[in-house]
Amino acid sequence: MTEKTAIKKILGVGKPGPRYLIDPRAFIVALIGSPILVTVLLFWLFVPIFALALGGPVYILLATPVMLWWLGRHRPGFWAPAVLGLLSNLAVVGGMYLAILTGFAEELNSFAGFYLIFGSIFAPIWAGVFGILYQAMPRPAFARQIKA
């Protein structure tokens, strides 16, 4: 199995499936709570505090549409949102490097490496914890599929 098919299998891409309602309360609590929970649990490493301060706003802006799209089509867990978090982070860093290479935003050079290294660590962890937190807050009204 190639890397491409492994990622497709984890993300469930390519196969149309049922659509699901998204619980707005659980979504907001999990979205905001996942980076905070990871920071609280790993504060003794000292790095998560800076990661929350510098990467938290980027995570909120990027994870909101990605997770809304994902949760509407799939049930949450840890690994699929974690892979989505990593891929989203790599897409943003790739855009930053593209802007640097084209001369559009050379001042991003100092941030791009930081976001590549620390974002590739914390984005998957935060997104995976998001999936766990969202899954842990079920409400029966939102546990059903949408009829197409």
Side-chain angles (χ1 to χ4, degrees), residues 1-124:
M1 176 172 7
T2 65
E3 292 84 12
K4 194 173 189 180
T5 42
I7 290 175
K8 281 185 176 182
K9 184 177 179 183
I10 290 171
L11 296 179
V13 177
K15 54 182 176 183
R19 302 286 304 263
Y20 297 98
L21 289 173
I22 297 172
D23 183 355
R25 182 190 69 183
F27 183 84
I28 292 170
V29 168
L31 186 71
I32 296 171
S34 62
I36 293 172
L37 179 64
V38 170
T39 302
V40 166
L41 293 176
L42 299 176
F43 75 94
W44 51 273
L45 291 174
F46 200 61
V47 174
I49 297 169
F50 289 110
L52 179 64
L54 296 174
V58 176
Y59 165 78
I60 296 292
L61 288 174
L62 190 61
T64 300
V66 170
M67 291 304 171
L68 281 172
W69 171 80
W70 175 257
L71 286 175
R73 289 160 177 78
H74 304 280
R75 295 291 12 141
F78 179 82
W79 290 109
V83 170
L84 280 174
L86 178 63
L87 294 176
S88 299
N89 180 65
L90 293 176
V92 168
V93 171
M96 291 170 79
Y97 277 119
L98 184 63
I100 292 166
L101 289 174
T102 59
F104 181 69
E106 293 176 3
E107 63 275 1
L108 289 178
N109 199 14
S110 61
F111 290 108
F114 175 81
Y115 279 104
L116 176 64
I117 294 168
F118 291 106
S120 295
I121 295 169
F122 286 101

